[in-house]
Amino acid sequence: MHHSFRPKTKLTSLAPEPMRRSPLRRMLRWCGFVCIVGAAILIAGFLRFADSITTMQPPADPHADAIVVLTGGYQRIDQAVELLEKGAGKRLLISGAHPSTTATQIRKMTSGPANLFSCCVDIGYDAIDTIGNAEETSNWIRTKGYRRVLVVTNNYHMPRSLAELSYVNPDIEFVPYPVVNSDLRTRDWFVDSNAMRVMLAEYVKCLAAGLRNLTGFGRHSGLRSEGAVNDL
């Protein structure tokens, strides 16, 4: 019987070799991871910011050398004038008033006593934004020699205001007196599109202010004219 000889063949694996990840794929993976972590940090930061705003309350017994109110709403000025009348500070600066607004108009709008305005109220017209408020207030503080100042503005605007004021005046003690926005007092403010828009916009501005103050990049005077100093 004749048997044909067949050489044994070596079996080879048909499974493909594992593909090595390209540098581009690794980079995209890490970028995605960084974006997820960054988004989580931003969301957590916003929730913390929102909580601090909605729970912010004015001090029970405010007292300082002087008072500054940052314009942006008549409610703020009303509150500041009332604090001045109660003796919470010796003098009041209304920072960022429009050039066409007179002291008489502001007095009538707040129903403040004429003698109080003539003796103890200064009006600043140079500031055009929060940075300008800080610069204008700094000029006023240096002129008057104050060390402790009560700051009146809306609660959502307070963190950024204090950051800008402290950046320009690191040796001055600023005491926040927030004017509480009724729209933010309720627990369901986040379903109000207007309240949510205000909170998100202010949060972004706070982040930008912190980055600007840290790096110094993009910082401007915030005054109507460069180097302007009010004779307050």
Side-chain angles (χ1 to χ4, degrees):
M1 179 182 294
H2 178 71
H3 296 280
S4 60
F5 176 76
R6 293 181 181 177
K8 294 182 179 180
T9 58
K10 187 177 180 181
L11 296 176
T12 58
S13 175
L14 299 178
E17 294 183 1
M19 294 180 62
R20 294 182 178 178
R21 288 195 180 98
S22 66
L24 178 60
R25 290 184 63 185
R26 288 198 299 270
M27 183 180 71
L28 291 175
R29 184 178 181 182
W30 275 106
C31 285
F33 176 75
V34 170
C35 288
I36 292 173
V37 172
I41 292 174
L42 288 174
I43 292 172
F46 174 71
L47 293 176
R48 183 177 179 181
F49 172 81
D51 181 67
S52 68
I53 295 302
T54 54
T55 58
M56 189 180 294
Q57 294 294 329
D61 185 24
H63 183 73
D65 297 332
I67 307 165
V68 59
V69 56
L70 312 185
T71 56
Y74 289 138
Q75 187 180 7
R76 303 180 188 182
I77 302 176
D78 285 337
Q79 185 66 73
V81 172
E82 182 179 341
L83 287 169
L84 182 65
E85 287 186 272
K86 292 180 178 179
K90 301 174 185 177
R91 199 169 187 87
L92 168 65
L93 169 65
I94 302 174
S95 174
H98 192 274
S100 64
T101 305
T102 66
T104 301
Q105 290 173 327
I106 295 176
R107 182 182 62 79
K108 289 181 178 179
M109 177 267 297
T110 61
S111 300
N115 61 335
L116 186 70
F117 267 75
S118 62
C119 81
C120 307
V121 177
D122 297 314
I123 302 176
Y125 294 100
D126 281 338
I128 57 177
D129 56 18
T130 306
I131 295 177
N133 289 140
E135 296 289 346
E136 188 169 62
T137 302
S138 178
N139 295 334
W140 183 70
I141 288 173
R142 285 198 300 267
T143 301
K144 306 297 183 182
Y146 299 133
R147 302 298 302 171
R148 178 180 166 93
V149 178
L150 200 65
V151 180
V152 180
T153 189
N154 284 92
N155 54 349
Y156 61 83
H157 187 233
M158 186 63 73
R160 184 159 57 97
S161 301
L162 293 177
E164 298 293 5
L165 286 164
S166 297
Y167 178 84
V168 179
N169 306 273
D171 298 327
I172 304 301
E173 181 183 1
F174 293 103
V175 181
Y177 193 97
V179 176
V180 178
N181 189 323
S182 59
D183 293 337
L184 303 179
R185 286 181 178 178
T186 60
R187 294 182 180 274
D188 59 349
W189 62 267
F190 47 84
V191 300
D192 185 329
S193 59
N194 290 329
M196 176 62 83
R197 184 171 60 252
V198 169
M199 294 286 276
L200 284 172
E202 195 59 37
Y203 177 59
V204 171
K205 290 178 182 178
C206 278
L207 292 177
L211 183 62
R212 181 176 57 243
N213 292 342
L214 183 64
T215 64
F217 180 75
R219 188 170 183 86
H220 56 281
S221 72
L223 302 175
R224 297 188 186 282
S225 57
E226 290 292 333
V229 178
N230 282 345
D231 184 17
L232 297 175

